[in-house]
């Protein structure tokens, strides 16, 4: 499947290969629908995607098991805009899906997402643990609204990490860098050997932003980038820690650490070069093995390491996008939708999802293929934070109108540190004058 979401191909794949198991328990707010014979599901998938036949089989199994028919509409990636439009007319689905940023920004922040706390208390089919016990509280910062209520049920996650081919860069398998000094030394050594250290399609501004935002969070701490963006004066950008993070990318551009043509390529040209051993490192989400395996080199061994801390002992939180489900507050059959979600969460279907689509699930008790083992370990061994420090979910349109264009100019060498700081300060002030 071609990736058309900001958070990657597996964002769609991760929500579609989920098979059987079921349970039922009281809904979170006592809403009607427990005796429903059908439910409506609006999916972000389109009908021509390869996950659709598999998901269709899941619907059939669910109906045979429960007597509840799932009426699905393959709405595509703008599904949540359609859900929000329907909130005024009452024409909404009982179930929908997307990544946590969009579910929070469009549904939860507008009071349109049902509290799923009761769903977290359901016991998974054939197991003694509830969904909440299986997930744990690791992902709560990305799945709870301002009132502490669950607005989504996560199933899969996309950690952003540095990917490399273990067969192509065996030195990284022995010792990946753990701080920025080690990272820079490693990049310089690769370049000195005539290699292309970093693969980046800079036209993909989501990827530029994710890399820069991760470095900024490393330098100033989780939650602090969001605080910086929320400053109406823009002055919060001008700090020594922020400058250190920006300096990193000014230096990378000046040192020529990126693959040739990265600043004029069209995605996925440079990504493809990386998969074919023409570049060494790729900062991308957990969908990378699934997305690139069709054109990867024969010797590909998908390995990954976390974005290094600024200094030893510094921040190592993993930027993560969660993919999952939400139930609109105006759903007619919310209990049936919750029952369906519980049906999906059993260990067997989640194992099939992991192995067939190379998708990392929030169930850490499920063994993963070798291609996913590094990211499983990285997530399990570190705290997590939202990609771009939750800015897209909290500050509408700032990410796409201000931050992404600035980070693209930064990584392509068109801005100095002073110029980047001034650009962010000025344009952020203008943003808040218009949107404050």
């Amino acid at each position: 499947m071609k990736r058309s979401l900001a958070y990657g191909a597996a964002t769609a794949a991760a929500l579609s290969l989920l098979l059987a198991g079921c349970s039922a328990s009281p809904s979170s707010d006592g809403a009607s629908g427990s005796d429903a014979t059908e439910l409506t599901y609006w999916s972000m998938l389109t009908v021509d995607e390869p996950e659709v036949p598999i998901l269709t089989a899941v619907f059939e199994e669910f109906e045979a098991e429960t007597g509840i028919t799932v009426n699905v509409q393959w709405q595509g990636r703008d599904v949540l805009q359609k859900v929000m439009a329907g909130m005024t007319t009452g024409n909404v689905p009982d179930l929908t899906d997307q990544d946590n940023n969009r579910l929070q920004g469009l549904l939860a922040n507008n009071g349109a997402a049902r509290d799923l706390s009761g769903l977290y208390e359901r016991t998974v089919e054939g197991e003694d643990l509830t969904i909440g016990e299986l997930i744990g509280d690791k992902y709560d910062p990305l799945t709870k609204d301002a009132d502490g209520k669950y607005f989504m049920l996560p199933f899969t996650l996309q950690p952003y990490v540095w990917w490399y081919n273990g067969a192509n860069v065996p030195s990284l398998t022995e010792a990946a860098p753990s701080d920025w000094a080690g990272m820079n030394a490693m990049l310089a050594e690769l370049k000195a050997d005539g290699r292309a250290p970093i693969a980046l399609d800079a036209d993909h501004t989501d990827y530029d932003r994710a890399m820069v935002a991760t470095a900024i969070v490393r330098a100033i701490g989780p939650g602090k980038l969001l605080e910086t963006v929320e400053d109406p004066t823009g002055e919060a950008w001008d700090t020594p820690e922020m400058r250190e993070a920006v300096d990193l990318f000014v230096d990378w551009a000046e040192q020529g650490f990126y693959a040739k043509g990265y600043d004029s390529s069209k995605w996925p040209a440079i990504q493809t070069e990386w998969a074919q051993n023409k570049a060494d490192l790729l900062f991308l989400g957990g969908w990378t093995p699934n997305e690139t395996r069709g054109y990867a080199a024969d010797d590909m061994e998908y390995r990954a390491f976390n974005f290094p801390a600024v200094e030893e002992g510094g921040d190592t939180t993993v930027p993560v996008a969660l993919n999952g489900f939400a139930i609109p507050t105006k759903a007619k059959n919310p209990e049936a939708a919750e029952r369906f979600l519980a049906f999906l969460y059993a260990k067997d279907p989640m194992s099939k999802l992991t192995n067939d689509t190379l998708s990392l699930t929030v169930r850490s008790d499920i063994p993963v293929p070798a291609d996913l083992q590094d990211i499983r370990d990285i997530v399990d061994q570190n705290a997590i934070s939202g990609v771009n420090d939750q800015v897209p979910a909290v500050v509408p349109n700032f990410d796409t109108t201000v931050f992404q264009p600035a980070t693209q100019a930064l990584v392509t060498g068109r801005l100095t540190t002073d110029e980047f700081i001034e650009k962010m300060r000025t344009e952020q002030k203008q943003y808040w004058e218009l949107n404050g």
Side-chain angles (χ1 to χ4, degrees):
M1 180 184 68
K2 293 182 179 180
R3 187 203 47 74
S4 57
L5 280 177
Y7 297 115
T11 302
L15 294 174
S16 61
L17 263 174
L18 305 170
L19 304 174
C22 72
S23 66
S25 60
S27 64
S28 57
D29 59 10
S32 62
S34 59
D35 58 350
T37 59
E38 64 179 5
L39 68 92
T40 299
Y41 167 37
W42 288 4
S43 175
M44 67 178 181
L45 296 170
T46 55
V47 70
D48 59 340
E49 296 188 68
E51 298 80 15
V52 169
I54 301 168
L55 196 55
T56 300
V58 177
F59 300 150
E60 293 173 353
E61 184 172 354
F62 179 70
E63 181 177 5
E65 187 77 21
T66 67
I68 300 173
T69 301
V70 180
N71 300 312
V72 63
Q73 295 182 24
W74 310 110
Q75 296 277 7
R77 303 303 190 258
D78 61 349
V79 61
L80 294 187
Q81 286 85 347
K82 297 176 182 178
V83 172
M84 290 306 299
M87 290 295 288
T88 59
T89 64
N91 179 28
V92 297
D94 301 305
L95 181 65
T96 191
D97 53 41
Q98 258 289 2
D99 66 77
N100 62 288
N101 275 322
R102 291 173 177 83
L103 288 174
Q104 181 178 346
L106 289 175
L107 264 64
N109 289 353
N110 290 298
R114 171 180 168 90
D115 176 15
L116 299 182
S117 298
L119 177 60
Y120 278 69
E121 298 173 359
R122 290 178 179 263
T123 303
V124 175
E125 174 75 6
E127 301 179 44
D128 295 329
L129 298 176
T130 65
I131 289 176
E133 288 171 332
L134 287 170
I135 295 176
D137 59 5
K138 189 181 191 79
Y139 307 105
D140 283 3
L142 307 185
T143 58
K144 284 186 171 182
D145 62 19
D147 296 325
K149 298 177 180 179
Y150 289 104
F151 63 85
M152 71 174 288
L153 177 68
F155 273 89
T156 61
L157 58 147
Q158 308 296 343
Y160 274 71
V161 296
W162 285 106
W163 291 96
Y164 66 97
N165 180 355
N168 187 43
V169 199
S171 59
L172 285 175
T173 302
E174 298 171 4
S178 58
D179 59 24
W180 286 9
M183 182 77 173
N184 287 333
M186 178 265 295
L187 294 173
E189 183 177 346
L190 291 173
K191 186 172 186 292
D193 288 341
R195 304 168 72 106
I198 300 175
L200 174 69
D201 289 289
D203 68 311
H204 204 307
T205 55
D206 283 333
Y207 296 168
D208 304 331
R209 174 265 290 158
M211 186 169 61
V212 174
T214 301
I216 290 174
V217 171
R218 288 284 183 270
I220 67 176
K224 299 300 184 181
L225 175 56
L226 177 58
E227 290 182 10
T228 299
V229 169
E230 291 178 320
D231 170 26
T233 70
E235 298 299 331
W237 282 94
D238 197 358
T239 68
E241 295 80 9
M242 186 70 73
R243 285 180 171 273
E244 184 175 17
V246 177
D247 283 344
L248 183 71
F249 296 100
V250 172
D251 182 61
W252 285 3
E254 290 179 348
Q255 295 294 327
F257 286 157
Y258 297 101
K260 184 178 179 180
Y262 82 105
D263 53 349
S264 59
S265 65
K266 298 296 182 183
W267 179 88
I270 306 299
Q271 178 176 302
T272 301
E273 289 187 6
W274 169 82
Q276 297 174 354
N277 292 334
K278 297 177 182 178
D280 295 328
L281 299 173
L282 178 71
F283 190 71
L284 205 56
W287 64 84
T288 300
N290 185 55
E291 182 169 271
T292 62
R293 58 181 170 176
Y295 52 82
D298 292 341
D299 70 348
M300 175 60 74
E301 297 176 6
Y302 289 99
R303 300 300 307 269
F305 64 92
N306 198 9
F307 201 114
V310 178
E311 297 177 346
E312 291 288 346
D315 174 68
T316 58
T317 56
V318 186
V320 167
L322 291 175
N323 311 308
F325 297 91
I327 299 174
T329 52
K330 292 189 177 181
K332 297 179 177 64
N333 302 298
E335 172 64 20
E338 288 196 1
R339 188 175 182 185
F340 179 65
L341 291 179
F343 188 91
L344 299 177
Y345 208 83
K347 193 169 186 178
D348 285 347
M350 297 298 274
S351 297
K352 183 173 179 58
L353 166 67
T354 296
N355 287 285
D356 288 4
T357 67
L358 294 180
S359 297
L360 196 66
T361 77
V362 292
R363 287 194 58 156
S364 60
D365 61 330
I366 294 176
V368 299
D371 292 341
L372 301 182
Q373 190 60 59
D374 281 351
I375 59 172
R376 176 81 275 169
D377 293 342
I378 290 169
V379 170
D380 290 348
Q381 295 167 10
N382 296 276
I384 66 148
S385 60
V387 175
N388 201 21
D389 212 28
Q390 291 297 89
V391 170
V394 180
V395 187
N397 301 318
F398 180 89
D399 188 46
T400 54
T401 61
V402 179
F403 194 42
Q404 289 189 24
T407 55
Q408 182 187 50
L410 175 64
V411 299
T412 54
R414 292 183 283 119
L415 293 176
T416 65
T417 298
D418 285 342
E419 290 169 341
F420 179 85
I421 296 296
E422 179 60 21
K423 181 178 180 66
M424 292 305 304
R425 186 192 68 78
T426 302
E427 294 188 12
Q428 181 167 303
K429 183 179 180 181
Q430 294 172 347
Y431 171 89
W432 285 115
E433 288 173 351
L434 294 173
N435 298 279

